[in-house]
Amino acid sequence: MTSLPTGGAAQVVAVDLGGTTVRAALVDRSGALTARLKEPVRHGAAHEQVADLMSRIAAGTDAVSAVVGLPGRVDHLQGRLHVARNLPSADLGRLSAAHLGDVTGLAVELAGDAELAAIGEAYYGAGATTGTTAYLTLSTGVGAAVVSDGRVLSGRVSGFQIGFLHLFGAGRPMIEDLGSGQRVREVSRELGRDVDYRALTELSSGTGTAPPQRHARELASGALADIADVASAAAILLCHVVSPDVLVVGGGLARAAGAHLLDELDRRIRDTAASHVSWDVEVRAARCGDDAGLAGAAAWHLAQPAAVAAAADRRSMKGDRR
């Protein structure tokens, strides 16, 4: 854990909109969270839900600003969401800084959910604000972000949308189809019942010989192999793109898989003959859990991309000249 930020507003409203759950909290400059709220995402009405949570969190406090983490590709400068695979189009236009600010009266900034989680881990968790920390999230989808010397690596539009990559060529499954909770849900659909990662491991080790048992074992083993292969490929890709000192792995699927998957990623990265990662990358489990994105909002003013900071400086200079 690195030293805590010392600037910025005393309290910020933080929101983390995920694929299945939306969380909100009040966060202070130390990354401490209070006034927590958590709800299942109301798809098609997520913009109303987020605004409602923001207003409820801010009520009776001195908070005047909010940082909202969104799944998908965020335009930092325009304050809007370009695309989000897990949200219907009805939500996209109104999940904007302008709309949320008008409804709540707060000064709103948008960030990618993985960006805020990476900041949270770098400033308060398993990463660091010196050197380069890459963050890989395995959850409803697969996402990534990078913090280098305390600042998010991004241009005007949030990057590292590696979940959208077709590893095996156009028309083939995307990374997040095979390396995330979506692969687990696919097994659930084929079996006709809900299963989670732990259930997959139990099914894959079953010894039953009846056809339904063999079928379930094959499905589970195939899903586990896909998750390990694709998560490892995503981790190695991230290593080659940004040459991190630390790779932090988080997200609900990663937590459910536990040390087994983390050790597998570490093993494959260290297999230099296959990975071609020729420097030492320390693979660490995320420490902040579901709070990473919310805590990251506390340090957004320090860690926001250089393009965002530069735009803010230009606006400030124009204001000074008036």
Side-chain angles (χ1 to χ4, degrees):
M1 181 171 172
T2 54
S3 60
L4 302 180
T6 58
Q11 296 184 108
V12 175
V13 174
V15 179
D16 182 10
L17 177 62
T20 58
T21 303
V22 57
R23 296 175 176 83
L26 199 67
V27 58
D28 67 19
R29 286 176 293 183
S30 72
L33 306 176
T34 56
R36 298 167 179 265
L37 294 172
K38 174 183 173 182
E39 296 179 355
V41 175
R42 299 201 299 268
H43 293 280
H47 56 284
E48 297 173 353
Q49 183 179 24
V50 168
D52 175 66
L53 290 174
M54 291 166 62
S55 296
R56 288 159 59 190
I57 288 291
T61 75
D62 63 356
V64 297
S65 62
V67 180
V68 180
L70 298 176
R73 197 177 297 279
V74 172
D75 188 318
H76 298 114
L77 297 188
Q78 293 187 2
R80 66 184 183 90
L81 187 61
H82 280 195
V83 62
R85 191 181 184 204
N86 297 320
L87 293 174
S89 58
D91 285 322
L92 295 187
R94 294 183 181 179
L95 282 172
S96 68
H99 177 75
L100 295 175
D102 287 344
V103 173
T104 64
L106 297 168
V108 179
E109 291 186 80
L110 303 186
D113 55 353
E115 291 177 326
L116 288 184
I119 295 169
E121 289 292 341
Y123 277 85
Y124 311 108
T129 55
T130 56
T132 299
T133 294
Y135 176 77
L136 176 66
T137 176
L138 307 172
S139 190
T140 304
V142 176
V146 179
V147 174
S148 186
D149 290 331
R151 190 178 288 282
V152 170
L153 288 183
S154 177
R156 189 186 89 178
V157 179
S158 58
F160 296 102
Q161 302 292 307
I162 61 175
F164 291 130
L165 291 177
H166 297 265
L167 269 186
F168 309 111
R172 303 291 295 278
M174 294 190 298
I175 282 179
E176 68 177 35
D177 291 329
L178 299 177
S180 76
Q182 296 183 43
R183 185 67 177 90
V184 180
R185 287 197 295 274
E186 182 182 341
V187 176
S188 295
R189 287 193 296 270
E190 294 194 43
L191 291 177
R193 58 189 171 93
D194 287 339
V195 296
D196 56 15
Y197 191 92
R198 178 174 294 181
L200 288 184
T201 61
E202 293 171 354
L203 288 171
S204 70
S205 61
T207 58
T209 58
Q213 293 171 317
R214 291 201 308 269
H215 179 60
R217 183 165 59 248
E218 290 168 359
L219 287 176
S221 297
L224 292 174
D226 282 345
I227 290 168
D229 288 345
V230 175
S232 297
I236 291 168
L237 170 66
L238 197 53
C239 287
H240 283 296
V241 170
V242 297
S243 304
D245 304 293
V246 177
L247 173 66
V248 178
V249 184
L253 181 64
R255 287 197 301 276
H260 174 74
L261 181 58
L262 195 74
D263 291 345
E264 184 66 11
L265 297 185
D266 183 65
R267 183 189 69 78
R268 296 197 193 194
I269 290 171
R270 291 183 186 280
D271 181 3
T272 57
S275 73
H276 304 285
V277 176
S278 58
W279 66 99
D280 185 44
V281 179
E282 189 170 353
V283 180
R284 302 176 183 171
R287 292 180 190 164
C288 295
D290 289 336
D291 289 342
L294 297 174
W300 175 250
H301 65 289
L302 296 174
Q304 61 189 353
V308 179
D313 288 343
R314 289 194 294 270
R315 288 194 297 270
S316 177
M317 291 175 64
K318 287 181 181 177
D320 290 344
R321 286 197 293 268
R322 289 195 182 100

